[in-house]
Amino acid sequence: GTDYGMFSDCDLVIEAALEDEAVKSGVYAKLDAVLTDNALIASNTSSLSIARLAAASGRPDRFMGMHFFNPVPVMALVELIRGEATADTTFDAVRNLALALGKTPIEAGDSPGFIVNRILMPLINEAAFALHDGTGSVAAIDEAMRLGASHPMGPLELADYVGLDVCLAVIQVLHADFGDDKYRPC
């Protein structure tokens, strides 16, 4: 009953499969077989190329990134990422949905990690290196960042909350796609 723009009568699927391009592509192949022609797909990827995922979807003009943050009911931000072929009508429909959900959408470029994870994951990775080399304990590192940088939680606590598997997958994407050792996983 909610009008999300010109696609008010279409399906919108928000894919939230593992942060693995092959897994997501497999999901899109299955979706393509059952979705209507005008259905939209938004990926909740944390770092993967929207252009590559859109190509795998078979509907690149009706595909884009819609990156939510955990816990989704609490966190206001959603990054919206266009692929090379994302239609303006697709973007508008997904943006309107984000607003209807009470989220604050921001448009991010289709670059590895988008905005938040491109900045956040190197911080978490560096915290892991600091723990690994004995610079500080888990408690010391987290407290230092809470008190010294006014972060609401420490980077290692946040890594546990996000999921170490997701953190590793994202930092691996940053390392592989940028080819820069500053993103080398700890």
Side-chain angles (χ1 to χ4, degrees):
T2 303
D3 184 2
Y4 297 118
M6 119 177 249
F7 292 112
S8 61
D9 63 345
C10 80
D11 296 321
L12 170 62
V13 174
I14 301 172
E15 164 273 307
L18 295 173
E19 193 68 3
D20 180 302
E21 197 166 332
V23 170
K24 289 180 181 293
S25 294
V27 169
Y28 305 146
K30 291 176 183 172
L31 285 174
D32 197 45
V34 297
L35 293 177
T36 62
D37 288 342
N38 65 333
L40 308 178
I41 300 174
S43 176
N44 188 41
T45 181
S46 300
S47 63
L48 298 171
S49 165
I50 297 302
R52 288 195 312 261
L53 295 177
S57 77
R59 54 183 74 216
D61 61 320
R62 288 165 283 139
F63 187 98
M64 63 180 287
M66 188 178 195
H67 181 212
F68 291 87
F69 294 83
N70 280 324
V72 174
V74 174
M75 299 296 283
L77 180 66
V78 62
E79 289 177 312
L80 302 180
I81 308 99
R82 295 175 189 259
E84 294 170 359
T86 302
D88 288 342
T89 51
T90 299
F91 182 87
D92 292 344
V94 173
R95 182 178 182 283
N96 288 341
L97 172 61
L99 291 168
L101 293 172
K103 300 299 179 187
T104 302
I106 59 164
E107 187 168 359
D110 189 11
S111 179
F114 317 120
I115 296 171
V116 173
N117 283 335
R118 182 170 176 180
I119 297 167
L120 177 63
M121 288 303 153
L123 171 73
I124 289 173
N125 195 49
E126 194 58 34
F129 274 117
L131 176 65
H132 177 73
D133 69 20
T135 300
S137 67
V138 170
I141 291 166
D142 281 348
E143 187 169 4
M145 292 307 292
R146 278 193 305 272
L147 299 177
S150 294
H151 289 198
M153 68 174 61
L156 299 173
E157 180 184 6
L158 180 57
D160 282 339
Y161 194 78
V162 168
L164 297 179
D165 58 333
V166 173
C167 292
L168 178 59
V170 171
I171 201 75
Q172 287 172 328
V173 166
L174 293 172
H175 188 239
D177 287 5
F178 283 119
D180 189 331
D181 276 346
K182 76 180 180 180
Y183 299 110
R184 179 177 58 89
C186 177

